[in-house]
Amino acid sequence: MDSRISGMLQQIARQDVIEIGPAAGVGGPAALAHVAEHYGFEYEAAYRTGHNGSQVLVRMYRDPRPDARAREAATLSAYPRAGNGGAAPGMLPGTLKPLPEAAEAVAHLTDMIKLDVMAQAADKRLMLKGYGMCGALVLVLLIAGMPVGALAGGAALAAFLAGCFKLGAVRRERIARRLIGAGFVPVRDEHGRQRFLRPGRQLPGHANPFAS
């Protein structure tokens, strides 16, 4: 039995907001998020956490709408032993390996998680921090009496950072096109970040996250 499934179902049983992770990769959280959707939860966002932001944390909210509650009731009836080593919706029994019919949905959640954590990595504050480090390197080398090294080192580091940010932007655009092609709707949240929703859904709020 995958203990991550039972741990998440314990959260679902007692909480309206659950957290999946932290995890080193996105595959496990995406599979768990797919399982949680069968219990009437909706994806909210993914965040970098842990040392140097090396891990991923996914947050999901309980959807109060009648169709979500009906979906939860049907899942509880169909998978009574999901938290005790039995089959979980969309997964091979006792594992987080998606069944063929769930692979596409898990892939979409994987893209949504990747997009969120990549956008966080491209945050303007992090960009300023990176270029600040570049400036600090130049200053240290100048103080050490190495003007040529300062120029070369600063230029090389700046070019490297610019290349990383550009590559990240290209990857995010590729994922965005994939989600739009799958029918997801691009929106902006209150922080100006691009998010993607299934048709008819809305961004979570506070008192009633997914009310229509």
Side-chain angles (χ1 to χ4, degrees):
M1 179 184 74
D2 194 306
S3 61
R4 290 172 293 179
I5 295 176
S6 60
M8 184 186 71
L9 293 183
Q10 288 175 23
Q11 288 191 69
I12 286 175
R14 63 177 186 268
Q15 299 171 198
D16 290 332
V17 180
I18 65 170
E19 291 185 340
I20 298 171
V26 301
L32 284 168
H34 177 70
V35 173
E37 287 183 338
H38 284 77
Y39 290 88
F41 277 72
E42 282 291 335
Y43 176 86
E44 188 265 327
Y47 307 88
R48 289 183 177 272
T49 187
H51 181 65
N52 291 329
S54 59
Q55 294 186 307
V56 175
L57 182 71
V58 172
R59 185 170 294 141
M60 300 186 73
Y61 286 83
R62 190 183 301 275
D63 187 341
R65 295 176 305 176
D67 61 324
R69 304 281 51 86
R71 186 167 68 249
E72 178 188 23
T75 301
L76 289 170
S77 176
Y79 300 92
R81 298 190 63 253
N84 297 306
M91 302 292 133
L92 290 169
T95 75
L96 278 178
K97 295 180 180 179
L99 293 167
E101 58 267 28
E104 184 176 7
V106 173
H108 293 156
L109 283 163
T110 299
D111 278 344
M112 292 169 72
I113 294 170
K114 285 182 177 179
L115 203 60
D116 277 350
V117 297
M118 290 171 67
Q120 188 178 353
D123 185 273
K124 288 183 179 180
R125 289 171 297 179
L126 292 178
M127 294 176 68
L128 290 174
K129 182 178 179 180
Y131 287 117
M133 292 173 60
C134 180
L137 172 65
V138 171
L139 181 60
V140 168
L141 291 176
L142 286 174
I143 293 174
M146 302 171 62
V148 176
L151 179 62
L157 182 56
F160 173 76
L161 290 172
C164 288
F165 291 134
K166 177 62 176 178
L167 178 61
V170 170
R171 291 180 63 194
R172 293 196 304 276
E173 179 60 28
R174 187 180 302 128
I175 293 173
R177 288 199 303 268
R178 202 156 56 220
L179 287 170
I180 292 172
F184 285 74
V185 180
V187 297
R188 295 282 177 180
D189 66 12
E190 67 274 19
H191 303 295
R193 296 175 302 182
Q194 187 177 57
R195 309 298 304 283
F196 287 85
L197 302 175
R198 293 181 177 87
R201 304 296 173 89
Q202 65 181 36
L203 290 171
H206 297 287
N208 196 3
F210 292 98
S212 58

